[in-house]
Amino acid sequence: MDIIALPAFQDNYIWLLRQGQHAAVVDPGDADPVLAYLAEQQLQLCAILLTHHHRDHVGGVETLLARHPVPVYGPARESIAGLDHPLTEGDVIRLPALDLELVILDIPAHTAGHIAYVSQAAENPLLFCGDTLFSAGCGRLFEGTAKQLADALAKLAALDDATRVFCTHEYTLANLAFAAAAEPDNPARDLYARRCQQLRAAGEPTLPSTIALEKAINPFLRADELQIRQRLASELGITAEDSVSTLAALRAWKDRF
């Protein structure tokens, strides 16, 4: 199966999963790039997968359905027009045309009902996590709490290290700049930053990442690191006593960074 990044808006990616002449799309905020790719490649759309209700993730659903009446999967706890297969933690969806099985995780924080799709296939583990986890960062807390964020990130960090992480925004370089402020001494992060700068200079996506890489470079998955807590104390005068308070302080710092 091939996974193609379709750029949308300023920094979104719509992920298109392709097997032969069949395809599914994840978080199509804009129908135009999807329709163009389907037509160019003569593909048949078989499913739409949604992680949360924000317009830049669901805005293209109505137009896609007018041309391709397919199942629409998404979070049971959010109201999204066109969603006819509501999902929650532990649900499993099967897309036979793609030879793909996906398990659902509830990962609220960015939005109240945000979900993730996980393929646990040993040879090709995948994660489609919307706006909860970014490479070197995480999503803003629009509707959730720091405790929910901590729980959501813990679920994702517990996935197989080889799991490829398909988030939906090209925020990596900005996130890495903040990561350098939050944890200055991280050689793995600096190496990754150089690679990402080269990719963006060549017009290539920095994504997907992997769970192993994120655990090595992402400050929001490294909230227990002493250096990060020391930086919070020196930069913000905050003494964080646990991972939840550390995440809350990190996210607030990132919001104004």
Side-chain angles (χ1 to χ4, degrees), residues 18-40:
R18 174 178 180 176
Q19 179 75 25
Q21 295 308 114
H22 294 91
V25 289
V26 181
D27 284 352
D30 184 357
D32 289 347
V34 178
L35 291 171
Y37 190 87
L38 293 174
E40 176 191 332

Side-chain angles (χ1 to χ4, degrees), residues 161-174:
D161 279 354
T163 302
R164 287 188 290 162
V165 178
F166 294 87
C167 54
T168 43
H169 286 279
E170 184 56 75
Y171 289 164
T172 310
L173 291 182

Side-chain angles (χ1 to χ4, degrees), residues 3 5 13 15 124-129 133-137 156 159-172 175-176 188-189 192-193 195-196 199 205-218 221:
I3 303 177
Y13 289 127
W15 296 107
N124 188 26
L126 309 169
L127 167 66
F128 298 95
C129 54
L133 176 68
F134 296 127
S135 188
L156 301 183
L159 296 173
D160 190 290
D161 279 354
T163 302
R164 287 188 290 162
V165 178
F166 294 87
C167 54
T168 43
H169 286 279
E170 184 56 75
Y171 289 164
T172 310
N175 287 340
L176 285 166
R189 193 255 342 283
Y192 179 54
R195 176 171 169 268
C196 289
L199 287 169
T206 60
L207 305 167
S209 176
T210 68
I211 291 294
L213 176 60
E214 293 308 313
K215 289 195 291 189
I217 61 92
N218 189 326
L221 295 185

